[in-house]
Amino acid sequence: MNNHLALIEKTQSLIAAGDIAGAESALTELADAEGDRALMVVLDQLAPKDILAVMREYDPSRESVVNLLVTPEQFARAIVIEKRYKDLTHTHLRGMVNSIIFREDADPVAFLTAVGDLEGGSEAMANYFAEKWARIEAFARTGTFDTVEEDGEMLSEQALLGSAYASPKIDLEEVADQDWMELAWRMRYETPDLFTETLLVLRAQARAHHLGAEDEEEADEEDVRVETSDTDRGRSTPAAREDDEESAI
């Protein structure tokens, strides 16, 4: 156990120093030397932020022993704090989620259920689907991922909840891509509460983004607005500053 404590301290130090590869290498050496069970004991002692630091450095060209062994509960505790990285593209989040939820021995429902049980779980999944919001809306409304412009309004929250247990219109085999389509399908039909909460968060994010864009447009308009009364031989001049206006009185 003392060896494990030393490894935990070493792993934490490496992560704090930004050496994620070194931390993962140390954990891999433990698994090689003492077996997967020993590594799982250590992972259970690591803070979620440290597990997250290793998990999100997913590299599709090689297998990560941490991603292969992390439990649904450890995974959930890690991804609900992933937003702290402020990765606007969510590239690391998607790679990490796909590599773990769709690993060979995994039960996707167990992982999704663990995420849904934690505060912030639906927000994490909304970030995962951020670039696919329109497709997820279409899936909620029609049961397929096809989007056509002006093809109907969004389902109300009440209608969304009412449709949560509808029968699938497409089979899982049709979307079993180990990516966002399969994840959306599994969420809607296997963890419908999480799917509904995630879609509501996506809508809130879209509204906030829309309002933010409008505010930026208004700010841009104000920057170029001119006082029509201040002209010089027909040429517009920038709006006067307050101190200029006072000095002119």
Side-chain angles (χ1 to χ4, degrees):
M1 189 63 188
N2 287 336
N3 288 343
H4 291 175
L5 291 175
L7 178 63
I8 289 168
E9 291 179 2
K10 178 182 179 181
T11 301
Q12 291 171 332
S13 297
L14 288 168
I15 290 171
D19 186 1
I20 310 302
E24 184 174 7
S25 178
L27 295 171
T28 301
E29 288 174 10
L30 172 67
D32 290 341
E34 300 185 32
D36 292 350
R37 188 175 296 277
L39 176 56
M40 293 178 75
V41 170
V42 168
L43 289 179
D44 209 37
Q45 302 299 315
L46 284 175
K49 66 180 180 64
D50 293 327
I51 293 179
L52 173 63
V54 177
M55 287 197 318
R56 75 190 303 275
E57 292 303 315
Y58 166 68
D59 180 351
S61 67
R62 59 179 179 79
E63 289 187 330
S64 163
V65 68
V66 174
N67 287 17
L68 287 172
L69 294 177
V70 69
T71 67
E73 291 72 24
Q74 291 166 346
F75 168 78
R77 288 194 294 268
I79 72 160
V80 297
I81 60 173
E82 201 276 340
K83 62 186 178 183
R84 296 179 186 174
Y85 281 87
K86 301 186 186 302
D87 174 16
L88 298 181
T89 66
H90 305 301
T91 303
H92 288 275
L93 175 63
R94 287 193 296 272
M96 172 180 68
V97 169
N98 288 347
S99 71
I100 294 171
I101 286 185
F102 298 121
R103 72 190 189 199
E104 190 172 344
D105 67 330
D107 174 8
V109 176
F111 283 90
L112 292 171
T113 299
V115 172
D117 286 343
L118 287 185
E119 182 178 351
S122 56
E123 183 182 355
M125 298 316 300
N127 288 338
Y128 173 95
F129 288 114
E131 294 184 352
K132 306 295 183 183
W133 174 52
R135 305 286 294 277
I136 300 301
E137 281 286 357
F139 184 50
R141 186 172 61 250
T142 68
T144 74
F145 292 101
D146 296 328
T147 57
V148 180
E149 289 189 20
E150 306 300 328
D151 63 351
E153 297 180 357
M154 291 187 300
L155 288 179
S156 67
E157 184 173 344
Q158 186 174 1
L160 186 61
L161 292 169
S163 68
Y165 295 91
S167 297
K169 287 190 176 181
I170 51 179
D171 294 331
L172 176 58
E173 289 74 18
E174 296 179 60
V175 292
D177 58 355
Q178 297 195 341
D179 200 356
W180 68 272
M181 279 192 183
E182 180 174 354
L183 193 61
W185 192 101
R186 289 186 176 278
M187 283 174 61
R188 180 174 181 185
Y189 299 117
E190 297 176 343
T191 56
D193 290 343
L194 177 59
F195 178 78
T196 300
E197 291 168 8
T198 297
L199 185 52
L200 294 176
V201 174
L202 278 168
R203 290 177 179 180
Q205 290 177 344
R207 283 195 298 271
H209 178 76
H210 179 67
L211 291 173
E214 285 186 343
D215 289 343
E216 287 181 8
E217 287 179 6
E218 288 179 5
D220 289 342
E221 287 176 5
E222 288 176 1
D223 287 342
V224 299
R225 195 173 297 156
V226 297
E227 296 288 345
T228 54
S229 59
D230 293 328
T231 58
D232 180 13
R233 295 182 183 177
R235 290 175 298 188
S236 297
T237 56
R241 297 195 306 271
E242 288 183 6
D243 55 346
D244 289 337
E245 289 176 350
E246 289 175 0
S247 65
I249 296 175

